[in-house]
């Protein structure tokens, strides 16, 4: 009886295996030897698809970027630019929160990654169409990336231990409830993100009124 054939090795299979490894054990767990073992192939066979570990991690990062919703930046979408930025930021953070170990790679910027570049292009294009000067649109894209990736790099709530004795009121008179934060991680972290995002967007709206004011906003040429 013939043995079942192994699935052909492909970029998608390698990225899927690497992503699972990163999610489970972190960036340091990824090596070509480990991936080859996970996939049941010889190590050199990976080099037919990727030159090195960094390229594999780039592809994993780009697969996460591809999960981010960009529909709010399409020209026919009815959302104004603050609502679009808000909804995109929530989607972006959700993608990062599902894959926190890859955030340091994403935080370096899109480089040559196609999905990451589509994200950058969509945000910049939408801000310019809304009337922001190109330089300010660039700053907004950078600011949003700093805020979103920073929020996904760690949990504020997890920074406190679940031990009431660690917060002696004699030393820390205002941290009497800090030991409860770990059990409320999602509520605290999501609440902090939403609070910061609202404050950021309110600030940008104020700048928009000062920068664009009442002047007529004309659609930017394609590629602007």
């Amino acid at each position: 009886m013939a043995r079942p054939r192994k699935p052909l090795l492909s970029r998608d299979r390698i990225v899927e295996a690497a992503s699972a490894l990163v999610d489970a054990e972190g960036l340091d767990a990824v090596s070509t030897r480990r991936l080859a073992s996970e996939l049941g192939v010889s190590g050199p066979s990976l080099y037919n698809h990727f030159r090195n570990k960094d390229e594999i991690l780039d592809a994993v990062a780009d697969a996460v970027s591809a999960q981010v919703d960009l529909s709010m930046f399409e020209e026919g979408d009815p959302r104004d630019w603050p609502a679009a930025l808000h909804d995109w930021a929530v989607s972006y953070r959700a993608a990062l929160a599902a894959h926190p170990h890859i955030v340091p790679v994403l935080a370096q910027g899109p480089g040559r990654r196609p999905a990451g570049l589509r994200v950058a292009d969509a945000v910049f294009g939408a801000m310019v169409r809304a009337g922001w000067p190109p330089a300010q649109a660039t700053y907004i894209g950078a600011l949003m990336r700093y805020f979103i990736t920073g929020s996904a790099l760690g949990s504020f709530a997890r920074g406190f231990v679940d031990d009431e004795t660690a917060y002696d009121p004699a030393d820390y008179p205002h941290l009497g409830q800090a030991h409860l934060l770990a059990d409320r991680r999602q509520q605290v972290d999501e609440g902090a993100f939403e609070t910061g995002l609202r404050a950021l967007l309110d600030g940008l709206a104020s700048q928009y009124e000062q920068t664009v004011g009442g002047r007529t906003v004309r659609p930017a040429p394609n590629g602007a």
Side-chain angles (χ1 to χ4, degrees):
M1 181 176 178
R3 291 189 302 175
R5 296 175 58 189
K6 293 179 181 178
L8 293 176
L9 190 62
S10 65
R11 285 181 64 92
D12 287 345
R13 279 193 69 211
I14 296 169
V15 171
E16 183 179 353
S19 181
L21 198 54
V22 170
D23 286 347
E25 301 181 33
L27 296 173
D28 291 341
V30 178
S31 68
T32 53
R33 178 179 297 179
R34 177 74 183 275
L35 281 174
S37 176
E38 295 283 336
L39 291 164
V41 299
S42 64
S45 63
L46 298 180
Y47 297 116
N48 293 324
H49 302 278
F50 295 97
R51 289 182 298 178
N52 50 45
K53 170 183 171 177
D54 288 342
E55 282 196 357
I56 295 172
L57 291 178
D58 257 2
V60 171
D62 212 39
V64 173
S65 293
Q67 298 172 20
V68 181
D69 182 14
L70 298 176
S71 64
M72 66 288 296
F73 296 129
E74 295 173 359
E75 294 194 38
D77 191 276
R79 283 168 282 194
D80 60 13
W81 68 264
L85 278 182
H86 175 276
D87 293 350
W88 165 71
V90 170
S91 175
Y92 196 177
R93 182 180 180 275
L96 299 189
H99 307 280
H101 292 148
I102 199 65
V103 173
V105 179
L106 282 162
Q108 297 172 12
R112 297 176 182 271
R113 299 192 294 268
L117 289 170
R118 282 193 289 273
V119 171
D121 181 73
V123 175
F124 179 79
M127 294 306 99
V128 171
R129 286 197 306 274
W132 285 100
Q136 288 296 115
T138 300
Y139 301 155
I140 291 170
L143 169 64
M144 296 300 291
R145 182 163 65 83
Y146 298 154
F147 176 70
I148 297 165
T149 57
S151 75
L153 281 172
S155 165
F156 176 83
R158 280 185 177 166
F160 296 87
V161 298
D162 183 15
D163 180 1
E164 188 173 3
T165 65
Y167 307 104
D168 188 330
D171 296 321
Y172 315 107
H174 306 295
L175 296 182
Q177 302 296 307
H179 65 286
L180 301 175
L181 291 175
D183 285 340
R184 303 174 184 176
R185 180 188 63 81
Q186 184 173 356
Q187 176 186 350
V188 172
D189 291 345
E190 290 184 358
F193 178 78
E194 185 65 27
T195 299
L197 180 57
R198 290 291 181 185
L200 189 157
L201 293 175
D202 286 348
L204 286 176
S206 177
Q207 288 188 33
Y208 183 82
E209 289 302 316
Q210 298 173 28
T211 303
V212 179
R215 69 182 176 85
T216 302
V217 178
R218 295 182 176 84
N222 291 336

